[in-house]
Amino acid sequence: MEPSQTIEDESQPSIASVTRRIQRLSLHLIPLPFLQRSPQLDMLTCAKANKQEVDVASLSSYMRGRHREIQEKIFDFFNSRPDLQTPTEISMKEHRELCLRQLFGLVREAKIKPFRYVVEDPAKYFAISEAVGSIDISLGIKFGVQYSLWGGSVLNLGTKKHRDKYFDGIDNLDYLGCFAMTELHHGSNVQGLQTVATFDPITDEFIIDTPNDGAIKWWIGNAAVHGKFATVFARLVLPTHDSKGVSDMGVHAFIVPIRDLKTHQPLPGIEINDCGHKIGLNGVDNGALRFRSVRIPRDNLLNRFGDVTRDGKYTSSLPTINKRFAATLGELVGGRVGLAHSSVGILKIAVTIAVRYSLLRQQFGPPKQPEVSILDYQSQQHKLMPMLASTYAFYFASQYLVEKYSEMKKTHDEQLVGDVHALSAGLKSYVTSFTAKSLSTCREACGGHGYAAVNRFGTLRNDHDIFQTFEGDNTVLLQQVAADLLKQYKDKFQGGALSVTWNYLRESMSTYLSQPNPVTARWESEDHLRDPKFQLDAFRYRTSRLLQSVAARLQKHTKTLGSFGAWNRCLNHLLTLAESHIESVILAKFIEAVQNCPDASSQAALKLLCDLYALDRIWKDIGTYRNVDYVAPNKAKAINKLTQYLSFQVRNIAGEVIDAFDLPPYILRAPIAMQSEAYSQYTQLVGF
């Protein structure tokens, strides 16, 4: 304190001191143009690269897809309606009601009617779903519960009589509904569900019962407050005239009204409770349902794969419970497809905020020189540039998944159904897990400002976290992928045909499993390492080695532990196999996207991103390649060095690459992601 300064001066700062404080804050928030680089900084970089020109408009056009127009219509509607925009601070009750008003506004005011696209044009439906989730993830989930789960179950598991009766009400939101599969004691193990639907031949009704507390339907979206109907999954039980008295026909789906359409009160025998405040997604009213001898007409059985006649006889075109169960779940994979697709959309938002902040934010620098962008630091590039490359990789892989799913809905090809089931399980698991980790990394990359709620990372992270659990726990889904790979492996040696996605295994069993070539193991030129054939061969070699080795281990342990014990003994190995396979699929689709890009500058940018994705993944698992001498020590060093160099090159075009996502300001709406003039809004938030 200066001798002339008084206690009063300290407690009441002068205008000059306040001005200095604002100026200091401005230096942190409003940097110099980040493209102006000093010679001293160039000397500090590990590698030098000429800035690659990127035609943002062309790249954006290639990334936008066929349905950008309807997405922009959604963005424009919510941007024009401040009353329907989710504030940073909102109570659970208010958020739920806002979410409902947002959904009604979307359908009844903006005239977005997505229900028919669930079957007719799934790609368009998922494009709408991604845009809606960008507005508020809670809204995206409520939207999905209504149309994909409740509505999708009616379309996919029911028959014409159900579509005729319920389609319009679901479409216009008169019939808000739920998807009641999960129980307190059973989630992933759907065949273990305990809710019972017993047929009464006297009244021609099914009686829905919750036999114990463990069978209470739990975490049911739309159930706590808004839902009027539920698709209830229950064991179909028929009376018999033998000593058993009843026959369990396995899990089926039933339409059960849960609230009066006029009074909105729970119907007789229906007990509804609120699951309460959650870590995230508090705009969705999750509830618990108990059924006490609730009677529904026989026609409420969704009978596409199995039916009951008036006299109580069971009929089905599928001969066994397991086949009927598989067919039922096969029709519900759209939820997994949607989650994988939506997770990529959330990753786009997070990586855009983090990269923009890192380009704008300046800290430290060479002596007596201006501070430099934090994205010029190798550590920040290491955090964010492979993530940016992965975002593009996942986008093209999810587009491929949507295309395969759309084809499956049109053709109902049995082999394609199995292929999409495994692919959707793998991509949903892999992408949502990656996005969950990346959201935390993005928050950390933005320092203290990333911790401010207004900058979105907290909400995005909390809302997205459950993506790893619903529509199939990620660990369980990866096991399904591994099981399918092992089945393909077994079929291959029995002369069976491989499905399309798994086709590379035919060659891998011979070429890839031979001894690594000692010459190519030492090739380390940039041209070789950036060759798509080398990259894809490396990914597929790893998958093939893992598949062969885990098959041998399972065979060995089954002799002493049985099949279940052997599977558990090899579980981590199996999960690694599944992830490796999905990475191979992702890279293959990324390479195809690069090759198919019509614009030269966009193709060059995508090639750079693809190379970074591939080499970063190889480097992260370099121990596997070194253990089998697939990569020699000098080649491993070259991969590491080139990966760092590619990260630096991607940093140079990072602004253009994220701009190609074409996310409108309302969707980003994080002050730290805006241009410098928007920072005044940020300072105002804390009272300046």
Side-chain angles (χ1 to χ4, degrees), residues 550-571 574:
V550 80
R553 286 187 66 205
L554 285 169
Q555 186 176 31
K556 172 187 173 183
H557 290 305
T558 298
K559 295 175 183 178
T560 55
L561 301 175
S563 58
F564 181 85
W567 187 269
N568 194 38
R569 174 68 66 87
C570 300
L571 188 52
L574 289 159

Side-chain angles (χ1 to χ4, degrees), residues 15 20 55 218 220-221 271 301 346 441 460 487 568 638:
I15 294 176
R20 285 195 300 272
D55 185 337
W218 207 267
I220 309 304
E271 294 181 15
L301 167 65
I346 293 165
T441 301
L460 290 173
K487 180 179 181 299
N568 194 38

Side-chain angles (χ1 to χ4, degrees), residues 270-281:
I270 308 284
E271 294 181 15
I272 304 175
N273 283 288
D274 198 324
C275 288
H277 201 275
K278 308 182 291 291
I279 290 175
L281 294 180

Side-chain angles (χ1 to χ4, degrees), residues 114-127:
F115 191 34
R116 62 192 175 99
Y117 302 129
V118 170
V119 172
E120 292 179 11
D121 191 351
K124 190 169 187 176
Y125 173 80
F126 291 127

Side-chain angles (χ1 to χ4, degrees), residues 188-199:
S188 298
N189 182 14
V190 179
Q191 280 189 299
L193 296 179
Q194 296 177 300
T195 301
V196 176
T198 305
F199 181 63

Side-chain angles (χ1 to χ4, degrees), residues 25 66 90 132-133 193 237 260 276 293 346 435 564 583 618 684:
L25 183 63
R66 294 183 292 116
I90 186 170
V132 170
L193 296 179
V237 174
D260 188 280
S293 300
I346 293 165
T435 298
F564 181 85
E583 287 176 353
I618 291 172
Q684 289 169 11

Side-chain angles (χ1 to χ4, degrees), residues 240-246:
T240 62
H241 300 291
D242 56 20
S243 58
K244 293 182 179 180
V246 295

Side-chain angles (χ1 to χ4, degrees), residues 21 89 115 120 167 306 309 315 343 367 455 517 529 613 651:
R21 185 180 178 192
E89 297 182 39
F115 191 34
E120 292 179 11
F167 187 95
T309 63
T315 62
S343 187
N455 288 320
N517 187 322
L529 296 180
Y613 172 76
R651 175 261 175 266

